[in-house]
Amino acid sequence: MNQPRIPRKRTYLLCPPEYFTVEYAINPWMDTATPVDPELAGKQWHQLRETLLDLGHTVHELTPEPGLPDMVYAANGAFVVDGTSYGARFRHRQRAAEATAHRAFYDAYGWRFVAPAETNEGEGDFTYLPDAYGGLILAGYGFRTESTAHAEAQEVLGRPVVSLRLVDPRFYHLDTALAPLDDRNIAYFPGAFSVAAQRVLAQLFPDAILADETDAFAFGLNLVSDGRHVILNSEATGMAAKVAAAGYTPVQVELSELKKGGGSVKCCVAELRP
């Protein structure tokens, strides 16, 4: 029998897709020959924002800047735990200036901000489970974030970091292959990880929901959960069924335009953890 799923109010950061387009290709999902419908992208993003607000969460907005089309993927700009923001240092030059925009937001917000020395892409490759083993950070590496950033994040944030090697370039960020469902449990796609990382995850999270390849290709793991409501894209029907069977409530949104840049729900949503 599934235990009751209790939602927890969250604070999120999003960035409107005002300048979103696919004008370069830095992941396998991006195709510069496939045009983006700006109006539809805006409508889909606003639906996501309204969904989070309707569930009772607080949403802050980052001001988009011209020339930075990927700013809509707000999760990549920093990683916040206990009111400390560990900033991003992007792998690709096309996104490098986003880090400055994020720092300006966190400085204005009044939280402690730590500029990184190591390459990392924020919540793209870091996630936090406050009730797992006293507070545990899971961190991916292999494509965007350097494993040395994991040690740096541990020193900055004072929480243990578990390093997980990603091996499939289609799942270039941790948040395309793994997601917290609540404060202590996760869902993940084993095939995105090295054999050793799979063993680590199986040991730490024996009750995890295991996604299959179809779920992962539909960006079904690029989700946001408040502990009860699991917001995921409408294409991920299989993943929605799995979380429902585990006692969570799936809430599906259409994000087909934003998927053209290689991201979905989670990529668009950074969590601000006081």
Side-chain angles (χ1 to χ4, degrees), residues 177-197:
L178 180 150
L181 295 172
D182 51 40
D183 289 341
R184 66 178 64 225
N185 203 18
I186 65 171
Y188 68 98
F189 171 50
F193 297 92
S194 68
V195 172

Side-chain angles (χ1 to χ4, degrees), residues 8-171:
R8 177 167 62 80
K9 299 302 182 188
R10 314 286 177 118
T11 300
Y12 295 122
L13 176 66
L14 284 77
C15 182
E18 186 173 342
Y19 303 106
F20 174 64
T21 185
V22 179
E23 59 185 39
Y24 47 76
I26 58 173
N27 68 59
W29 304 96
M30 301 176 89
D31 180 1
T32 57
T34 302
V36 170
D37 182 334
E39 183 178 357
L40 181 56
K43 287 180 179 178
Q44 292 177 350
W45 181 87
H46 280 284
Q47 180 195 9
L48 172 61
R49 177 181 178 275
E50 291 305 308
T51 298
L52 296 171
L53 290 171
D54 287 347
L55 290 171
H57 304 299
T58 300
V59 174
H60 295 277
E61 289 190 24
L62 184 67
T63 302
E65 297 184 9
L68 297 174
D70 282 344
M71 274 189 74
V72 67
Y73 303 124
N76 302 154
F79 176 52
V80 183
V81 176
D82 297 334
T84 294
S85 307
Y86 173 57
R89 184 175 181 182
F90 286 88
R91 167 74 60 185
H92 296 286
R93 60 174 177 77
Q94 294 94 332
R95 300 195 66 185
E98 292 180 42
T100 302
H102 279 266
R103 176 164 193 167
F105 170 83
Y106 288 105
D107 285 346
Y109 201 76
W111 283 4
R112 175 176 177 244
F113 184 94
V114 178
E118 305 295 338
T119 300
N120 81 89
E121 298 200 350
E123 280 200 333
D125 276 320
F126 288 99
T127 196
Y128 181 55
L129 291 100
D131 289 342
Y133 305 97
L136 189 67
I137 295 170
L138 301 180
Y141 72 99
F143 298 104
R144 297 293 187 86
T145 294
E146 296 290 344
S147 60
T148 48
H150 299 177
E152 184 176 53
Q154 181 168 275
E155 288 301 307
V156 169
L157 300 170
R159 296 289 186 176
V161 176
V162 176
S163 293
L164 303 166
R165 182 170 166 240
L166 297 163
V167 296
D168 187 328
R170 293 168 296 186
F171 308 107

